[in-house]
Each structure stands twice: as C-alpha cells, then as structure tokens.
Amino acid sequence: MDTPEPLTAEDLARIEERAEAATPGPWHVRELDDDDAMSLVAISTVPDTGHGERWPDFDHQQIVAATLIQQPRYVDVADQRWDENARFIADARQDIPRLIAEIRRLNRRLEGKDQTAEPS
C-alpha cells in the first residue's frame, strides 16, 4: 500500500464537515426482519432490542444504512461481512470526530515543540 499524503488542515476540515452533516449519533447495529427485507442488518439511530422486529414494528426513519437485505437480494456483499461492515459504519459515527480531534491535538503538540526547539 502506498503511503498517503499527510492530512492538511483543509483535509481535516472537509472530513469534519462531512461528519457534522451526517445524521447525529450515536449509531447502532440492528438486526431486523420482515417479508420484504429478510435478514436486515442495519445501522440505526436507536439500539437493537434483540427481538428482530418485523416492519411495521420498527420505525424505518431510524435506519441510516443497511449492509444486508437478503430478500429481495439488493443489499449484500460477496465476502459476507455484513455484521463487520455494519459495526464499522456505526462506530465511524463516533470514531471519525474523535480521530479528527486527536489529530488536531497532536498537531498542536508538534507545532508547540517546533516553536520551542533550539536552532541547530
């Protein structure tokens, strides 16, 4: 894998804008089911109840994304990592803002060290 270019302040600002524009978090993985979306693995704004609710017993407006809908088969992935992908997407809602903050914190520390370093 090639080494990516360092992130600039503008890059971080664009990533932060996308994160702030997305549906507010936290996000959760939910496993739902119904006659039209069999075995739905979804990312939701509310936690999973563990009951595999069938529509209309869940609010479709709480669903942010889906990583698996088996019937009809129109949300699926060849490597069958539906649960892993759903967890990654759900956690990204919290992780991305934290990573941006940490990069900025570390950049401030580096800038402070550079300013106090003695010339060679």
Side-chain angles (χ1 to χ4, degrees), residues 29 41 43 66-68 76-92:
V29 176
V41 178
I43 294 78
T67 59
L68 174 65
D76 199 351
V77 65
D79 67 7
Q80 300 181 0
R81 294 183 189 187
W82 314 289
D83 296 335
E84 294 86 348
N85 293 341
R87 172 62 35 221
F88 178 79
I89 294 167
D91 287 347

Side-chain angles (χ1 to χ4, degrees), residues 42-114:
I43 294 78
S44 173
T45 57
V46 298
D48 191 80
T49 65
H51 298 295
E53 296 92 351
R54 298 172 65 87
W55 191 86
D57 295 331
F58 66 87
D59 184 352
H60 68 279
Q61 294 181 5
Q62 298 167 339
I63 305 301
V64 176
T67 59
L68 174 65
I69 299 177
Q70 286 185 319
Q71 183 63 35
R73 195 174 274 303
Y74 61 86
V75 176
D76 199 351
V77 65
D79 67 7
Q80 300 181 0
R81 294 183 189 187
W82 314 289
D83 296 335
E84 294 86 348
N85 293 341
R87 172 62 35 221
F88 178 79
I89 294 167
D91 287 347
R93 184 68 193 99
Q94 292 79 242
D95 293 346
I96 296 299
R98 289 187 67 206
L99 288 169
I100 292 168
E102 179 66 4
I103 291 168
R104 288 185 172 143
R105 184 187 72 79
L106 293 171
N107 282 342
R108 285 191 300 273
R109 286 190 72 185
L110 287 171
E111 289 167 4
K113 283 189 178 187
D114 288 344

Side-chain angles (χ1 to χ4, degrees), residues 32-41 58 68-72 74:
L32 303 165
D33 204 5
D34 70 28
D35 292 336
D36 296 318
M38 184 173 74
S39 297
L40 171 61
V41 178
F58 66 87
L68 174 65
I69 299 177
Q70 286 185 319
Q71 183 63 35
Y74 61 86

